[in-house]
Amino acid sequence: MFIMMLSAIVIIGISLAMMMISSILSKKTLIDREKSSPFECGFDPKSSPRLPFSLQFFLIAMIFLIFDVEITLLVPLVSILKISKIYWFWAVSTFFIIILLMGLYHEWNQGALEWAI
């Protein structure tokens, strides 16, 4: 028990020391306006380099990622069919798909799936 406590303290100490050293070494003392400005062939940029971001596009992308992860959770159900009882397989898969459809209905009802023009 003492060896585990000692090793945990040593590991935490080394981690904290590494974080403090990296924090000290990574500090920038001078902020140069020229280095932080966008570079466009040596000339000042004609327009703002920061374009407005479409929140609707971000929301659609997040919904796509969520449903993409859910599809990856559905794929192993086919291999589970071989090793489980048919009743439990259908109960679990139906429950999971109902949850997905409820989430899709909620997003549709809230208007998140409609692209604003």
Side-chain angles (χ1 to χ4, degrees):
M1 185 69 174
F2 177 72
I3 295 173
M4 287 176 47
M5 293 276 284
L6 184 64
S7 63
I9 290 172
V10 169
I11 291 171
I12 291 172
I14 291 173
S15 299
L16 287 174
M18 292 298 287
M19 286 191 298
M20 288 185 350
I21 290 171
S22 68
S23 176
I24 290 170
L25 293 178
S26 69
K27 296 288 183 191
K28 294 183 181 180
T29 56
L30 298 174
I31 297 175
D32 191 10
R33 183 170 185 243
E34 290 298 321
K35 286 185 179 179
S36 63
S37 67
F39 182 72
E40 201 172 288
C41 300
F43 300 105
D44 290 332
K46 293 182 180 179
S47 62
S48 175
R50 292 178 179 43
L51 299 174
F53 186 73
S54 171
L55 189 61
Q56 188 71 23
F57 174 76
F58 177 75
L59 186 61
I60 294 290
M62 292 305 296
I63 291 170
F64 172 76
L65 286 175
I66 289 170
F67 280 105
D68 193 38
V69 168
E70 290 168 349
I71 288 173
T72 60
L73 292 174
L74 279 173
V75 170
L77 282 178
V78 176
S79 62
I80 292 174
L81 177 62
K82 296 177 184 176
I83 60 173
S84 67
K85 294 184 180 179
I86 194 76
Y87 173 75
W88 288 111
F89 170 76
W90 287 113
V92 169
S93 60
T94 304
F95 181 69
F96 188 71
I97 291 173
I98 287 173
I99 289 175
L100 293 181
L101 290 175
M102 285 175 27
L104 179 64
Y105 175 73
H106 177 70
E107 293 294 331
W108 190 5
N109 194 21
Q110 294 294 319
L113 299 177
E114 296 174 11
W115 193 263
I117 296 176

PDB file of all heavy atoms in Angstrom, residues 77-106:
ATOM      1  N   LEU A  77     -25.060  -4.200 -33.555  1.00  0.00           N
ATOM      2  CA  LEU A  77     -26.267  -4.960 -33.223  1.00  0.00           C
ATOM      3  C   LEU A  77     -26.417  -6.194 -34.106  1.00  0.00           C
ATOM      4  O   LEU A  77     -26.984  -7.199 -33.684  1.00  0.00           O
ATOM      5  CB  LEU A  77     -27.509  -4.076 -33.355  1.00  0.00           C
ATOM      6  CG  LEU A  77     -27.768  -3.103 -32.203  1.00  0.00           C
ATOM      7  CD1 LEU A  77     -28.988  -2.262 -32.504  1.00  0.00           C
ATOM      8  CD2 LEU A  77     -27.921  -3.817 -30.899  1.00  0.00           C
ATOM      9  N   VAL A  78     -25.901  -6.126 -35.327  1.00  0.00           N
ATOM     10  CA  VAL A  78     -25.998  -7.269 -36.230  1.00  0.00           C
ATOM     11  C   VAL A  78     -25.181  -8.443 -35.697  1.00  0.00           C
ATOM     12  O   VAL A  78     -25.627  -9.589 -35.720  1.00  0.00           O
ATOM     13  CB  VAL A  78     -25.537  -6.871 -37.642  1.00  0.00           C
ATOM     14  CG1 VAL A  78     -25.526  -8.065 -38.569  1.00  0.00           C
ATOM     15  CG2 VAL A  78     -26.429  -5.778 -38.186  1.00  0.00           C
ATOM     16  N   SER A  79     -23.980  -8.166 -35.186  1.00  0.00           N
ATOM     17  CA  SER A  79     -23.155  -9.256 -34.655  1.00  0.00           C
ATOM     18  C   SER A  79     -23.689  -9.748 -33.304  1.00  0.00           C
ATOM     19  O   SER A  79     -23.474 -10.912 -32.949  1.00  0.00           O
ATOM     20  CB  SER A  79     -21.703  -8.807 -34.513  1.00  0.00           C
ATOM     21  OG  SER A  79     -21.614  -7.749 -33.595  1.00  0.00           O
ATOM     22  N   ILE A  80     -24.375  -8.915 -32.564  1.00  0.00           N
ATOM     23  CA  ILE A  80     -24.952  -9.330 -31.284  1.00  0.00           C
ATOM     24  C   ILE A  80     -26.123 -10.282 -31.501  1.00  0.00           C
ATOM     25  O   ILE A  80     -26.419 -11.128 -30.658  1.00  0.00           O
ATOM     26  CB  ILE A  80     -25.376  -8.092 -30.465  1.00  0.00           C
ATOM     27  CG1 ILE A  80     -24.145  -7.311 -30.032  1.00  0.00           C
ATOM     28  CG2 ILE A  80     -26.203  -8.464 -29.263  1.00  0.00           C
ATOM     29  CD1 ILE A  80     -24.466  -6.016 -29.350  1.00  0.00           C
ATOM     30  N   LEU A  81     -26.768 -10.180 -32.654  1.00  0.00           N
ATOM     31  CA  LEU A  81     -27.906 -11.035 -32.972  1.00  0.00           C
ATOM     32  C   LEU A  81     -27.539 -12.516 -32.883  1.00  0.00           C
ATOM     33  O   LEU A  81     -28.327 -13.337 -32.431  1.00  0.00           O
ATOM     34  CB  LEU A  81     -28.446 -10.706 -34.363  1.00  0.00           C
ATOM     35  CG  LEU A  81     -29.601 -11.544 -34.893  1.00  0.00           C
ATOM     36  CD1 LEU A  81     -30.817 -11.385 -33.998  1.00  0.00           C
ATOM     37  CD2 LEU A  81     -29.930 -11.146 -36.304  1.00  0.00           C
ATOM     38  N   LYS A  82     -26.326 -12.865 -33.271  1.00  0.00           N
ATOM     39  CA  LYS A  82     -25.906 -14.260 -33.278  1.00  0.00           C
ATOM     40  C   LYS A  82     -25.729 -14.842 -31.882  1.00  0.00           C
ATOM     41  O   LYS A  82     -25.918 -16.039 -31.688  1.00  0.00           O
ATOM     42  CB  LYS A  82     -24.595 -14.397 -34.042  1.00  0.00           C
ATOM     43  CG  LYS A  82     -24.702 -14.037 -35.487  1.00  0.00           C
ATOM     44  CD  LYS A  82     -23.352 -14.117 -36.163  1.00  0.00           C
ATOM     45  CE  LYS A  82     -23.468 -13.655 -37.598  1.00  0.00           C
ATOM     46  NZ  LYS A  82     -22.171 -13.623 -38.263  1.00  0.00           N
ATOM     47  N   ILE A  83     -25.365 -14.009 -30.905  1.00  0.00           N
ATOM     48  CA  ILE A  83     -25.038 -14.540 -29.577  1.00  0.00           C
ATOM     49  C   ILE A  83     -26.095 -14.237 -28.517  1.00  0.00           C
ATOM     50  O   ILE A  83     -25.949 -14.665 -27.379  1.00  0.00           O
ATOM     51  CB  ILE A  83     -23.664 -14.023 -29.104  1.00  0.00           C
ATOM     52  CG1 ILE A  83     -23.652 -12.501 -29.018  1.00  0.00           C
ATOM     53  CG2 ILE A  83     -22.563 -14.532 -30.005  1.00  0.00           C
ATOM     54  CD1 ILE A  83     -22.404 -11.923 -28.414  1.00  0.00           C
ATOM     55  N   SER A  84     -27.127 -13.492 -28.872  1.00  0.00           N
ATOM     56  CA  SER A  84     -28.142 -13.159 -27.868  1.00  0.00           C
ATOM     57  C   SER A  84     -29.478 -13.799 -28.223  1.00  0.00           C
ATOM     58  O   SER A  84     -29.690 -14.277 -29.329  1.00  0.00           O
ATOM     59  CB  SER A  84     -28.300 -11.641 -27.773  1.00  0.00           C
ATOM     60  OG  SER A  84     -28.852 -11.142 -28.961  1.00  0.00           O
ATOM     61  N   LYS A  85     -30.356 -13.767 -27.252  1.00  0.00           N
ATOM     62  CA  LYS A  85     -31.706 -14.269 -27.494  1.00  0.00           C
ATOM     63  C   LYS A  85     -32.466 -13.252 -28.323  1.00  0.00           C
ATOM     64  O   LYS A  85     -32.303 -12.051 -28.174  1.00  0.00           O
ATOM     65  CB  LYS A  85     -32.412 -14.528 -26.174  1.00  0.00           C
ATOM     66  CG  LYS A  85     -31.760 -15.643 -25.395  1.00  0.00           C
ATOM     67  CD  LYS A  85     -32.524 -15.938 -24.142  1.00  0.00           C
ATOM     68  CE  LYS A  85     -31.825 -17.076 -23.405  1.00  0.00           C
ATOM     69  NZ  LYS A  85     -32.483 -17.417 -22.184  1.00  0.00           N
ATOM     70  N   ILE A  86     -33.316 -13.763 -29.181  1.00  0.00           N
ATOM     71  CA  ILE A  86     -34.003 -12.913 -30.154  1.00  0.00           C
ATOM     72  C   ILE A  86     -34.904 -11.883 -29.463  1.00  0.00           C
ATOM     73  O   ILE A  86     -34.996 -10.742 -29.903  1.00  0.00           O
ATOM     74  CB  ILE A  86     -34.777 -13.762 -31.187  1.00  0.00           C
ATOM     75  CG1 ILE A  86     -35.207 -12.930 -32.395  1.00  0.00           C
ATOM     76  CG2 ILE A  86     -35.996 -14.377 -30.574  1.00  0.00           C
ATOM     77  CD1 ILE A  86     -34.102 -12.637 -33.327  1.00  0.00           C
ATOM     78  N   TYR A  87     -35.523 -12.242 -28.347  1.00  0.00           N
ATOM     79  CA  TYR A  87     -36.396 -11.313 -27.641  1.00  0.00           C
ATOM     80  C   TYR A  87     -35.596 -10.124 -27.114  1.00  0.00           C
ATOM     81  O   TYR A  87     -36.002  -8.969 -27.283  1.00  0.00           O
ATOM     82  CB  TYR A  87     -37.129 -12.024 -26.498  1.00  0.00           C
ATOM     83  CG  TYR A  87     -37.904 -11.082 -25.631  1.00  0.00           C
ATOM     84  CD1 TYR A  87     -39.102 -10.545 -26.083  1.00  0.00           C
ATOM     85  CD2 TYR A  87     -37.437 -10.702 -24.381  1.00  0.00           C
ATOM     86  CE1 TYR A  87     -39.814  -9.657 -25.300  1.00  0.00           C
ATOM     87  CE2 TYR A  87     -38.133  -9.813 -23.592  1.00  0.00           C
ATOM     88  CZ  TYR A  87     -39.329  -9.293 -24.055  1.00  0.00           C
ATOM     89  OH  TYR A  87     -40.019  -8.413 -23.291  1.00  0.00           O
ATOM     90  N   TRP A  88     -34.457 -10.389 -26.479  1.00  0.00           N
ATOM     91  CA  TRP A  88     -33.660  -9.302 -25.909  1.00  0.00           C
ATOM     92  C   TRP A  88     -33.035  -8.449 -27.008  1.00  0.00           C
ATOM     93  O   TRP A  88     -32.907  -7.232 -26.872  1.00  0.00           O
ATOM     94  CB  TRP A  88     -32.581  -9.844 -24.977  1.00  0.00           C
ATOM     95  CG  TRP A  88     -33.165 -10.362 -23.707  1.00  0.00           C
ATOM     96  CD1 TRP A  88     -33.229 -11.655 -23.311  1.00  0.00           C
ATOM     97  CD2 TRP A  88     -33.814  -9.593 -22.701  1.00  0.00           C
ATOM     98  NE1 TRP A  88     -33.878 -11.748 -22.105  1.00  0.00           N
ATOM     99  CE2 TRP A  88     -34.243 -10.490 -21.702  1.00  0.00           C
ATOM    100  CE3 TRP A  88     -34.077  -8.240 -22.522  1.00  0.00           C
ATOM    101  CZ2 TRP A  88     -34.911 -10.073 -20.564  1.00  0.00           C
ATOM    102  CZ3 TRP A  88     -34.736  -7.834 -21.378  1.00  0.00           C
ATOM    103  CH2 TRP A  88     -35.153  -8.752 -20.427  1.00  0.00           C
ATOM    104  N   PHE A  89     -32.666  -9.088 -28.097  1.00  0.00           N
ATOM    105  CA  PHE A  89     -32.113  -8.331 -29.221  1.00  0.00           C
ATOM    106  C   PHE A  89     -33.134  -7.344 -29.754  1.00  0.00           C
ATOM    107  O   PHE A  89     -32.840  -6.165 -29.947  1.00  0.00           O
ATOM    108  CB  PHE A  89     -31.667  -9.284 -30.335  1.00  0.00           C
ATOM    109  CG  PHE A  89     -31.311  -8.571 -31.605  1.00  0.00           C
ATOM    110  CD1 PHE A  89     -30.123  -7.895 -31.710  1.00  0.00           C
ATOM    111  CD2 PHE A  89     -32.196  -8.566 -32.684  1.00  0.00           C
ATOM    112  CE1 PHE A  89     -29.800  -7.225 -32.876  1.00  0.00           C
ATOM    113  CE2 PHE A  89     -31.877  -7.892 -33.842  1.00  0.00           C
ATOM    114  CZ  PHE A  89     -30.673  -7.219 -33.942  1.00  0.00           C
ATOM    115  N   TRP A  90     -34.354  -7.789 -30.005  1.00  0.00           N
ATOM    116  CA  TRP A  90     -35.376  -6.900 -30.549  1.00  0.00           C
ATOM    117  C   TRP A  90     -35.793  -5.838 -29.542  1.00  0.00           C
ATOM    118  O   TRP A  90     -36.072  -4.695 -29.914  1.00  0.00           O
ATOM    119  CB  TRP A  90     -36.587  -7.686 -31.036  1.00  0.00           C
ATOM    120  CG  TRP A  90     -36.299  -8.417 -32.306  1.00  0.00           C
ATOM    121  CD1 TRP A  90     -36.233  -9.762 -32.477  1.00  0.00           C
ATOM    122  CD2 TRP A  90     -35.990  -7.848 -33.572  1.00  0.00           C
ATOM    123  NE1 TRP A  90     -35.902 -10.069 -33.761  1.00  0.00           N
ATOM    124  CE2 TRP A  90     -35.747  -8.907 -34.470  1.00  0.00           C
ATOM    125  CE3 TRP A  90     -35.886  -6.551 -34.051  1.00  0.00           C
ATOM    126  CZ2 TRP A  90     -35.402  -8.699 -35.792  1.00  0.00           C
ATOM    127  CZ3 TRP A  90     -35.555  -6.353 -35.376  1.00  0.00           C
ATOM    128  CH2 TRP A  90     -35.318  -7.421 -36.228  1.00  0.00           C
ATOM    129  N   ALA A  91     -35.808  -6.202 -28.261  1.00  0.00           N
ATOM    130  CA  ALA A  91     -36.174  -5.214 -27.235  1.00  0.00           C
ATOM    131  C   ALA A  91     -35.134  -4.094 -27.167  1.00  0.00           C
ATOM    132  O   ALA A  91     -35.485  -2.903 -27.173  1.00  0.00           O
ATOM    133  CB  ALA A  91     -36.320  -5.901 -25.882  1.00  0.00           C
ATOM    134  N   VAL A  92     -33.859  -4.464 -27.134  1.00  0.00           N
ATOM    135  CA  VAL A  92     -32.798  -3.456 -27.033  1.00  0.00           C
ATOM    136  C   VAL A  92     -32.716  -2.625 -28.301  1.00  0.00           C
ATOM    137  O   VAL A  92     -32.626  -1.391 -28.251  1.00  0.00           O
ATOM    138  CB  VAL A  92     -31.451  -4.136 -26.717  1.00  0.00           C
ATOM    139  CG1 VAL A  92     -30.301  -3.168 -26.872  1.00  0.00           C
ATOM    140  CG2 VAL A  92     -31.462  -4.709 -25.316  1.00  0.00           C
ATOM    141  N   SER A  93     -32.761  -3.272 -29.472  1.00  0.00           N
ATOM    142  CA  SER A  93     -32.649  -2.522 -30.721  1.00  0.00           C
ATOM    143  C   SER A  93     -33.865  -1.622 -30.939  1.00  0.00           C
ATOM    144  O   SER A  93     -33.718  -0.486 -31.391  1.00  0.00           O
ATOM    145  CB  SER A  93     -32.454  -3.464 -31.899  1.00  0.00           C
ATOM    146  OG  SER A  93     -33.546  -4.342 -32.011  1.00  0.00           O
ATOM    147  N   THR A  94     -35.046  -2.084 -30.604  1.00  0.00           N
ATOM    148  CA  THR A  94     -36.244  -1.248 -30.745  1.00  0.00           C
ATOM    149  C   THR A  94     -36.185  -0.050 -29.802  1.00  0.00           C
ATOM    150  O   THR A  94     -36.514   1.074 -30.197  1.00  0.00           O
ATOM    151  CB  THR A  94     -37.509  -2.078 -30.472  1.00  0.00           C
ATOM    152  OG1 THR A  94     -37.520  -3.204 -31.353  1.00  0.00           O
ATOM    153  CG2 THR A  94     -38.758  -1.257 -30.670  1.00  0.00           C
ATOM    154  N   PHE A  95     -35.748  -0.273 -28.563  1.00  0.00           N
ATOM    155  CA  PHE A  95     -35.619   0.814 -27.600  1.00  0.00           C
ATOM    156  C   PHE A  95     -34.615   1.855 -28.095  1.00  0.00           C
ATOM    157  O   PHE A  95     -34.867   3.065 -28.036  1.00  0.00           O
ATOM    158  CB  PHE A  95     -35.194   0.248 -26.242  1.00  0.00           C
ATOM    159  CG  PHE A  95     -35.050   1.277 -25.169  1.00  0.00           C
ATOM    160  CD1 PHE A  95     -36.148   1.933 -24.659  1.00  0.00           C
ATOM    161  CD2 PHE A  95     -33.797   1.593 -24.675  1.00  0.00           C
ATOM    162  CE1 PHE A  95     -36.015   2.883 -23.670  1.00  0.00           C
ATOM    163  CE2 PHE A  95     -33.651   2.538 -23.689  1.00  0.00           C
ATOM    164  CZ  PHE A  95     -34.758   3.189 -23.181  1.00  0.00           C
ATOM    165  N   PHE A  96     -33.491   1.387 -28.629  1.00  0.00           N
ATOM    166  CA  PHE A  96     -32.457   2.298 -29.121  1.00  0.00           C
ATOM    167  C   PHE A  96     -32.957   3.096 -30.321  1.00  0.00           C
ATOM    168  O   PHE A  96     -32.763   4.318 -30.399  1.00  0.00           O
ATOM    169  CB  PHE A  96     -31.201   1.505 -29.485  1.00  0.00           C
ATOM    170  CG  PHE A  96     -30.017   2.353 -29.811  1.00  0.00           C
ATOM    171  CD1 PHE A  96     -29.357   3.054 -28.826  1.00  0.00           C
ATOM    172  CD2 PHE A  96     -29.579   2.464 -31.116  1.00  0.00           C
ATOM    173  CE1 PHE A  96     -28.275   3.839 -29.126  1.00  0.00           C
ATOM    174  CE2 PHE A  96     -28.486   3.252 -31.427  1.00  0.00           C
ATOM    175  CZ  PHE A  96     -27.839   3.939 -30.426  1.00  0.00           C
ATOM    176  N   ILE A  97     -33.623   2.451 -31.231  1.00  0.00           N
ATOM    177  CA  ILE A  97     -34.126   3.145 -32.416  1.00  0.00           C
ATOM    178  C   ILE A  97     -35.246   4.121 -32.045  1.00  0.00           C
ATOM    179  O   ILE A  97     -35.346   5.216 -32.618  1.00  0.00           O
ATOM    180  CB  ILE A  97     -34.583   2.128 -33.482  1.00  0.00           C
ATOM    181  CG1 ILE A  97     -33.355   1.416 -34.042  1.00  0.00           C
ATOM    182  CG2 ILE A  97     -35.374   2.789 -34.591  1.00  0.00           C
ATOM    183  CD1 ILE A  97     -33.648   0.279 -34.972  1.00  0.00           C
ATOM    184  N   ILE A  98     -36.071   3.776 -31.072  1.00  0.00           N
ATOM    185  CA  ILE A  98     -37.111   4.705 -30.612  1.00  0.00           C
ATOM    186  C   ILE A  98     -36.487   5.953 -30.009  1.00  0.00           C
ATOM    187  O   ILE A  98     -36.949   7.076 -30.255  1.00  0.00           O
ATOM    188  CB  ILE A  98     -38.074   4.009 -29.624  1.00  0.00           C
ATOM    189  CG1 ILE A  98     -38.986   3.050 -30.383  1.00  0.00           C
ATOM    190  CG2 ILE A  98     -38.890   5.016 -28.838  1.00  0.00           C
ATOM    191  CD1 ILE A  98     -39.854   2.195 -29.501  1.00  0.00           C
ATOM    192  N   ILE A  99     -35.414   5.784 -29.242  1.00  0.00           N
ATOM    193  CA  ILE A  99     -34.718   6.951 -28.684  1.00  0.00           C
ATOM    194  C   ILE A  99     -34.157   7.829 -29.800  1.00  0.00           C
ATOM    195  O   ILE A  99     -34.254   9.062 -29.747  1.00  0.00           O
ATOM    196  CB  ILE A  99     -33.615   6.505 -27.709  1.00  0.00           C
ATOM    197  CG1 ILE A  99     -34.239   5.941 -26.440  1.00  0.00           C
ATOM    198  CG2 ILE A  99     -32.678   7.653 -27.369  1.00  0.00           C
ATOM    199  CD1 ILE A  99     -33.249   5.366 -25.473  1.00  0.00           C
ATOM    200  N   LEU A 100     -33.574   7.193 -30.831  1.00  0.00           N
ATOM    201  CA  LEU A 100     -33.056   7.960 -31.968  1.00  0.00           C
ATOM    202  C   LEU A 100     -34.160   8.718 -32.692  1.00  0.00           C
ATOM    203  O   LEU A 100     -33.999   9.889 -33.049  1.00  0.00           O
ATOM    204  CB  LEU A 100     -32.342   7.035 -32.951  1.00  0.00           C
ATOM    205  CG  LEU A 100     -31.053   6.385 -32.493  1.00  0.00           C
ATOM    206  CD1 LEU A 100     -30.491   5.529 -33.607  1.00  0.00           C
ATOM    207  CD2 LEU A 100     -30.060   7.422 -32.079  1.00  0.00           C
ATOM    208  N   LEU A 101     -35.282   8.062 -32.903  1.00  0.00           N
ATOM    209  CA  LEU A 101     -36.390   8.723 -33.592  1.00  0.00           C
ATOM    210  C   LEU A 101     -36.986   9.847 -32.762  1.00  0.00           C
ATOM    211  O   LEU A 101     -37.403  10.873 -33.311  1.00  0.00           O
ATOM    212  CB  LEU A 101     -37.462   7.698 -33.970  1.00  0.00           C
ATOM    213  CG  LEU A 101     -37.054   6.719 -35.073  1.00  0.00           C
ATOM    214  CD1 LEU A 101     -38.145   5.673 -35.265  1.00  0.00           C
ATOM    215  CD2 LEU A 101     -36.763   7.460 -36.354  1.00  0.00           C
ATOM    216  N   MET A 102     -37.022   9.674 -31.446  1.00  0.00           N
ATOM    217  CA  MET A 102     -37.505  10.759 -30.579  1.00  0.00           C
ATOM    218  C   MET A 102     -36.563  11.963 -30.651  1.00  0.00           C
ATOM    219  O   MET A 102     -37.019  13.119 -30.690  1.00  0.00           O
ATOM    220  CB  MET A 102     -37.645  10.269 -29.132  1.00  0.00           C
ATOM    221  CG  MET A 102     -38.845   9.391 -28.921  1.00  0.00           C
ATOM    222  SD  MET A 102     -39.029   8.648 -27.271  1.00  0.00           S
ATOM    223  CE  MET A 102     -38.226   9.710 -26.165  1.00  0.00           C
ATOM    224  N   GLY A 103     -35.254  11.722 -30.690  1.00  0.00           N
ATOM    225  CA  GLY A 103     -34.293  12.809 -30.838  1.00  0.00           C
ATOM    226  C   GLY A 103     -34.433  13.507 -32.174  1.00  0.00           C
ATOM    227  O   GLY A 103     -34.362  14.739 -32.261  1.00  0.00           O
ATOM    228  N   LEU A 104     -34.632  12.731 -33.234  1.00  0.00           N
ATOM    229  CA  LEU A 104     -34.829  13.313 -34.560  1.00  0.00           C
ATOM    230  C   LEU A 104     -36.105  14.142 -34.606  1.00  0.00           C
ATOM    231  O   LEU A 104     -36.119  15.255 -35.148  1.00  0.00           O
ATOM    232  CB  LEU A 104     -34.880  12.206 -35.610  1.00  0.00           C
ATOM    233  CG  LEU A 104     -35.096  12.658 -37.046  1.00  0.00           C
ATOM    234  CD1 LEU A 104     -33.929  13.510 -37.508  1.00  0.00           C
ATOM    235  CD2 LEU A 104     -35.282  11.453 -37.943  1.00  0.00           C
ATOM    236  N   TYR A 105     -37.192  13.639 -34.016  1.00  0.00           N
ATOM    237  CA  TYR A 105     -38.445  14.391 -33.974  1.00  0.00           C
ATOM    238  C   TYR A 105     -38.274  15.696 -33.187  1.00  0.00           C
ATOM    239  O   TYR A 105     -38.788  16.747 -33.588  1.00  0.00           O
ATOM    240  CB  TYR A 105     -39.556  13.545 -33.365  1.00  0.00           C
ATOM    241  CG  TYR A 105     -40.837  14.309 -33.199  1.00  0.00           C
ATOM    242  CD1 TYR A 105     -41.625  14.632 -34.301  1.00  0.00           C
ATOM    243  CD2 TYR A 105     -41.253  14.749 -31.942  1.00  0.00           C
ATOM    244  CE1 TYR A 105     -42.788  15.361 -34.161  1.00  0.00           C
ATOM    245  CE2 TYR A 105     -42.411  15.483 -31.793  1.00  0.00           C
ATOM    246  CZ  TYR A 105     -43.187  15.781 -32.901  1.00  0.00           C
ATOM    247  OH  TYR A 105     -44.319  16.508 -32.751  1.00  0.00           O
ATOM    248  N   HIS A 106     -37.548  15.620 -32.075  1.00  0.00           N
ATOM    249  CA  HIS A 106     -37.325  16.820 -31.259  1.00  0.00           C
ATOM    250  C   HIS A 106     -36.549  17.871 -32.055  1.00  0.00           C
ATOM    251  O   HIS A 106     -36.896  19.062 -32.024  1.00  0.00           O
ATOM    252  CB  HIS A 106     -36.575  16.458 -29.977  1.00  0.00           C
ATOM    253  CG  HIS A 106     -36.250  17.641 -29.126  1.00  0.00           C
ATOM    254  ND1 HIS A 106     -37.205  18.345 -28.444  1.00  0.00           N
ATOM    255  CD2 HIS A 106     -35.069  18.263 -28.876  1.00  0.00           C
ATOM    256  CE1 HIS A 106     -36.637  19.342 -27.794  1.00  0.00           C
ATOM    257  NE2 HIS A 106     -35.332  19.309 -28.052  1.00  0.00           N
TER     258      HIS A 106
END
